[in-house]
Amino acid sequence: MTLTSSLSASAQKPVYLDNTQPLETRVQDALSRMTTHEKICMLHAQSKFTSAGVPRLGIRQLSMDDGPHGVREELEWNSWQPAAWTNDSIVAFPSLTCLAATWNPAVARLYGNAVSEEFAFRAKDVMLGPGVNIARTPLNGRNFEYFGEDPYLVSSMAVPYIQGAQANGVGCCLKHFALNEQEIDRFTVNVNVDERALNEIYLAPFKAAVQKAHVWTIMGSYPFWNGVHCCQNDKLLNGILKKDWGFDGAVISDWGGTTDTWEAAMGGLDIEMGTFTDGKLKESEFGYNDYYLADKFEKLITEGKIPMSVLDDKVSRVLRTIFRTAMNPEKVIGSQCSEAHYQACKEIGEEGIVLLKNEANILPLDAARYQHILVVGENATRSLTKGGGSSELKTLRDISPLESLKNLYGDKIDYAQGYNSGRAIYDVVDKVDPADNVRLHDEALEKARKADLIIYIGGLNKNCRQDCENADRESYDLSFGQNELISDLAKIQKNIVVVTFGGNAFTTPWIDKVRGMVHCWYLGSMAGESLADVLSGKVNPSGKLPVTFAKRLDDYGFAQYGKEAYPGVNKQVYYKEGIFVGYRYFDTRKVKVQFPFGFGLSYTSFSYSQPRISASSLKGDDKLTVSVDIKNTGKRAGKEVVQLYIGERNPQEVRPLKELKGFDKVDLQPGETKTVSFEISKDQLQYFSAKSHDWTVDDATFDAYVCASSEDVRGKVTFNYKK
């Protein structure tokens, strides 16, 4: 061979590096060039947040990082210690509960686009999120990372979020698959759930993300299902996810969620992360080659005890992920801390804030009416981007509520902390001197006597056993003496507005004593600006609750069945309420709640016409339409979330009174009317039958409810379905 021909041959680009080739051609070409050991190396971590590529072939590694509210600060390669970079401060976006409260899929797409640009700029290929587990109990410390209690709402918001992110070449890692609805005993609890509830409630958002959003990676969860860890559960991963749903991406373990080589290899896990190691440190006896999908797996392959086809399937899935992300020529460069991202953060927060009470129209605040405004509460100044576990964020700048209110109202604002919650430590409740809280409580009451308006800013935070990974809340009440503080303040000044942060519902025993209440979830870096714009009336609140606020913890469906239903007994938890989660339980059992699912007030008002239906019957795969006219009858522009629920009369198997099957957020000027239409098909009428073990629909009469919340029915139409 001549030198020229040799150079020509070496210059030929492999198919896997030719971006014009179809994805599967690239995957198979790369696979054919790899040694067994190179394949094995792609299936487990090589650092805290990366898995290996194939340097010999120019195949890049996968770089992952925690989300989904922003990019986690950079950690050292082989430890959980911060790397102390000076250029890894980012925008903290609102929590996913806040995003869910917008009830606006367009905002979800905006969110996915903006946050993924920050991941791309930090050279991250996979964002560990979003989470679509169901808010089964308001004590779950991680509910703030999820989208609420209803699988339809969760799916409707998660799908555009994923689409917006992956359009930028950043893969979402949907989590936690599946049944990770509590943090107590999350590593060891076995979840017992009936087949119907599993499919209708807990798997539905994951299925939508796979089949509608085509999510690229999925994270296995810690708990057991049917006695097998979900991270290596053959029925869950190979059966349901890959075979039944057609998922073609990679399954990534939760960090430390892998426990056995054979189960992981044969159970559908593709990438193992975080198993018992701080890395390749000299003092560590357990290195990355000791992972379950490393040397032990390679030995089983070379001995022929596990077929090469199992390995090749895993590697093909990892290669698809790499070609879609790290080696995607259309992956964006991205940006970090851009003004566009701060604006997106602000707008998402504003649209997710929920106005829960507004007696005597105390809101929006008329500054001319008040001379002395007292702001009380630690969350007025506390950074709520800190704490919470893996979602803790290192921000470039955070704007606090107190700062923004002072910018608006100047010297009229005074402040009292009111209580001290201690530091946000991951796994320990920080001890606070009780005497200190007594002093802060009394100081707030003393200042309240001089105020003609009190804005209380408290709620939950991201301390351990509040809204925090690895531990659930200990009580349904607000902690740190807040209920008593709010009640005492209300005795002194009747003009009091309570503003709460947090990702969960809680008791409001003082609700009849205060004139206003606003719930904010976690608003991210622009928290102060978002809140101030709503309180001042610059922005009309339009958020609606994605969870139910019950009056008492004992009112929830799961609570009727004792400790077996939550948090479990002897490492066994039983979802005995079945499909009756959230409003499904409250509506059907006629339990009075404090604030219903889908509820939220506005500074304007809306009227609903009688809904109209395009046909009185539906047959087979045909469709019909329900329409309603919505008019803004107030004096301010505003947005209303029109909700469609459907219920079956005299069902053959037990069903909730009604279930959310559609919603639309409409923007209306004063006096303006718009028509909202919902298309109804067989899919919205189906349920998972315990008798046939499949999705089915009855020949029956159905009611379609047009609502402003799950309790506020504005109109109803009836139709029949026939197969």
Side-chain angles (χ1 to χ4, degrees):
M1 180 180 290
T2 65
L3 177 61
T4 303
S5 61
S6 175
L7 287 173
S8 176
S10 66
Q12 290 178 357
K13 183 186 294 184
V15 174
Y16 69 87
L17 290 176
D18 184 352
N19 297 322
T20 65
Q21 294 293 321
L23 177 64
E24 289 309 307
T25 302
R26 299 175 67 197
V27 168
Q28 293 307 313
D29 176 58
L31 190 68
S32 70
R33 299 168 189 265
M34 295 169 61
T35 67
T36 297
H37 184 67
E38 286 171 338
K39 293 176 182 178
I40 290 289
C41 288
M42 298 186 76
L43 305 185
H44 60 82
Q46 63 171 2
S47 74
K48 276 297 177 213
F49 283 99
T50 66
S51 60
V54 186
R56 179 181 68 86
L57 298 176
I59 299 174
R60 297 177 184 172
Q61 67 183 24
L62 275 177
S63 178
M64 316 169 198
D65 217 332
D66 278 316
H69 312 128
V71 198
R72 187 175 183 169
E73 74 173 308
E74 208 68 31
L75 301 182
E76 292 179 346
W77 185 256
N78 292 321
S79 82
W80 291 109
Q81 297 302 311
W85 285 16
T86 59
N87 62 347
D88 59 345
S89 296
I90 49 81
V91 174
F93 290 87
S95 64
L96 292 188
T97 45
C98 182
L99 176 58
T102 70
W103 289 65
N104 191 336
V107 169
R109 188 178 294 273
L110 168 70
Y111 192 130
N113 172 71
V115 72
S116 65
E117 286 182 337
E118 301 228 343
F119 273 81
F121 190 79
R122 286 272 300 281
K124 307 302 180 183
D125 306 308
V126 176
M127 171 172 58
L128 303 178
V132 293
N133 296 96
I134 297 295
R136 175 180 179 250
T137 165
L139 300 184
N140 183 1
R142 249 178 141 169
N143 277 346
F144 73 96
E145 294 188 43
Y146 307 143
F147 290 91
E149 69 185 36
D150 180 76
Y152 182 87
L153 176 62
V154 175
S155 302
S156 299
M157 299 301 290
V159 165
Y161 175 107
I162 294 166
Q163 291 171 333
Q166 293 189 166
N168 286 332
V170 174
C172 287
C173 187
L174 194 70
K175 62 184 188 183
H176 304 90
F177 190 61
L179 301 171
N180 199 160
E181 274 74 42
Q182 64 187 65
E183 292 297 288
I184 292 178
D185 296 329
R186 61 176 175 160
F187 298 103
T188 55
V189 72
N190 184 64
V191 179
N192 299 271
V193 58
D194 68 72
E195 185 181 28
R196 184 173 173 193
L198 178 69
N199 282 276
E200 288 189 23
I201 305 296
Y202 300 103
L203 293 185
F206 290 99
K207 184 178 182 180
V210 169
Q211 296 189 337
K212 295 181 179 179
H214 305 292
V215 68
W216 290 340
T217 67
I218 285 181
M219 182 188 293
S221 67
Y222 289 128
F224 291 80
W225 178 55
N226 292 339
V228 181
H229 274 294
C230 290
C231 276
Q232 50 203 40
N233 193 302
D234 176 65
K235 184 176 180 181
L236 183 65
L237 302 181
N238 285 326
I240 294 173
L241 177 63
K242 295 180 177 178
K243 181 181 177 182
D244 295 349
W245 296 352
F247 176 66
D248 71 350
V251 176
I252 301 172
S253 75
D254 205 340
W255 270 236
T258 314
T259 60
D260 181 84
T261 294
W262 184 270
E263 281 192 353
M266 302 304 291
L269 182 65
D270 300 313
I271 300 178
E272 176 190 0
M273 299 298 295
T275 302
F276 303 136
T277 179
D278 282 330
K280 299 178 179 178
L281 302 177
K282 292 180 180 179
E283 63 268 28
S284 174
E285 296 180 358
F286 189 99
Y288 292 111
N289 62 304
D290 294 310
Y291 273 34
Y292 295 104
L293 288 184
D295 289 354
K296 300 180 185 71
F297 183 30
E298 185 171 2
K299 186 172 185 292
L300 292 173
I301 289 289
T302 56
E303 291 176 351
K305 294 179 180 178
I306 292 180
M308 184 64 73
S309 60
V310 172
L311 175 59
D312 285 349
D313 178 70
K314 296 180 188 301
V315 176
S316 295
R317 293 172 179 275
V318 177
L319 286 168
R320 277 187 209 108
T321 304
I322 292 172
F323 293 152
R324 285 166 169 164
T325 59
M327 296 178 69
N328 182 348
E330 296 182 359
K331 181 178 180 180
V332 301
I333 295 173
S335 59
Q336 185 170 284
C337 295
S338 68
E339 287 308 309
H341 290 175
Y342 283 111
Q343 183 62 28
C345 174
K346 179 172 174 287
E347 291 176 4
I348 295 163
E350 289 170 351
E351 198 152 326
I353 291 173
V354 185
L355 177 62
L356 294 173
K357 184 176 182 180
N358 195 19
E359 182 182 300
N361 291 323
I362 193 170
L363 295 172
L365 295 177
D366 180 358
R369 291 175 54 189
Y370 308 107
Q371 296 305 310
H372 304 287
I373 301 173
L374 177 64
V375 176
V376 179
E378 190 186 50
N379 282 351
T381 59
R382 187 182 183 90
S383 173
L384 295 174
T385 62
K386 303 292 189 291
S390 58
S391 68
E392 179 169 339
L393 296 170
K394 176 183 175 182
T395 53
L396 182 64
R397 70 174 193 258
D398 287 336
I399 302 178
S400 73
L402 183 62
E403 179 183 352
S404 293
L405 289 171
K406 282 185 173 180
N407 289 339
L408 272 180
Y409 303 118
D411 293 341
K412 291 184 177 183
I413 297 288
D414 193 9
Y415 174 65
Q417 184 175 327
Y419 65 91
N420 179 10
S421 70
R423 294 168 296 167
I425 306 174
Y426 173 66
D427 56 354
V428 177
V429 175
D430 194 24
K431 292 183 179 180
V432 175
D433 184 357
D436 186 41
N437 267 338
V438 171
R439 177 185 62 79
L440 292 171
H441 180 108
D442 292 344
E443 178 187 273
L445 297 186
E446 184 62 31
K447 289 191 173 185
R449 293 183 174 91
K450 304 173 185 176
D452 49 13
L453 171 69
I454 297 173
I455 303 175
Y456 180 88
I457 305 180
L460 304 177
N461 60 29
K462 294 182 181 177
N463 287 13
C464 181
R465 299 200 179 100
Q466 292 287 305
D467 283 333
C468 185
E469 181 182 0
N470 204 42
D472 285 350
R473 296 168 62 195
E474 295 179 309
S475 170
Y476 188 50
D477 293 324
L478 291 179
S479 297
F480 323 122
Q482 291 183 80
N483 284 341
E484 295 79 6
L485 177 57
I486 295 170
S487 295
D488 288 347
L489 289 167
K491 292 174 185 176
I492 296 173
Q493 176 52 257
K494 63 182 180 180
N495 290 325
I496 179 170
V497 175
V498 173
V499 176
T500 52
F501 288 83
N504 272 300
F506 45 83
T507 57
T508 57
W510 32 260
I511 192 64
D512 293 333
K513 302 173 185 177
V514 303
R515 290 204 163 166
M517 181 179 176
V518 173
H519 188 59
C520 297
W521 319 103
Y522 295 111
L523 297 175
S525 291
M526 299 294 284
E529 294 292 281
S530 296
L531 176 61
D533 281 355
V534 168
L535 294 182
S536 68
K538 182 178 179 181
V539 169
N540 192 347
S542 63
K544 300 270 190 170
L545 292 178
V547 294
T548 304
F549 274 57
K551 291 188 174 182
R552 306 176 308 146
L553 182 65
D554 289 345
D555 290 342
Y556 284 91
F558 73 89
Q560 312 311 305
Y561 302 96
K563 291 184 178 179
E564 278 194 338
Y566 174 82
V569 176
N570 297 324
K571 307 301 182 183
Q572 299 285 334
V573 65
Y574 297 84
Y575 287 14
K576 291 189 173 184
E577 75 279 12
I579 59 173
F580 292 97
V581 177
Y583 73 88
R584 286 169 168 78
Y585 174 78
F586 297 112
D587 280 5
T588 307
R589 301 291 187 261
K590 295 180 169 41
V591 177
K592 187 64 178 174
V593 303
Q594 191 64 64
F595 300 113
F597 174 82
F599 175 77
L601 301 174
S602 172
Y603 295 152
T604 189
S605 55
F606 303 95
S607 66
Y608 288 59
S609 72
Q610 177 61 31
R612 306 176 296 276
I613 193 164
S614 61
S616 60
S617 62
L618 185 61
K619 186 175 181 180
D621 293 326
D622 293 342
K623 299 177 182 179
L624 59 78
T625 302
V626 173
S627 301
V628 62
D629 299 330
I630 312 297
K631 182 177 181 180
N632 184 341
T633 55
K635 297 180 180 179
R636 291 175 175 264
K639 298 175 182 178
E640 173 69 339
V641 178
V642 186
Q643 302 161 41
L644 177 74
Y645 297 78
I646 297 178
E648 179 179 350
R649 295 187 188 179
N650 304 314
Q652 295 180 21
E653 298 183 41
V654 64
R655 300 194 72 173
L657 177 67
K658 62 182 186 296
E659 299 171 276
L660 182 70
K661 295 297 180 181
F663 62 88
D664 191 10
K665 194 165 194 176
V666 288
D667 193 351
L668 297 165
Q669 295 298 312
E672 185 180 11
T673 299
K674 288 183 180 178
T675 299
V676 174
S677 296
F678 299 101
E679 192 174 74
I680 298 177
S681 66
K682 179 178 68 175
D683 290 346
Q684 286 125 302
L685 312 181
Q686 291 181 330
Y687 63 95
F688 196 91
S689 171
K691 297 176 182 177
S692 67
H693 307 289
D694 201 357
W695 292 95
T696 188
V697 59
D698 299 333
D699 288 347
T701 299
F702 292 85
D703 293 310
Y705 304 85
V706 174
C707 303
S709 78
S710 61
E711 279 191 0
D712 188 359
V713 178
R714 298 297 180 94
K716 182 179 75 172
V717 290
T718 302
F719 63 94
N720 297 310
Y721 177 81
K722 200 164 187 63
K723 297 176 185 175

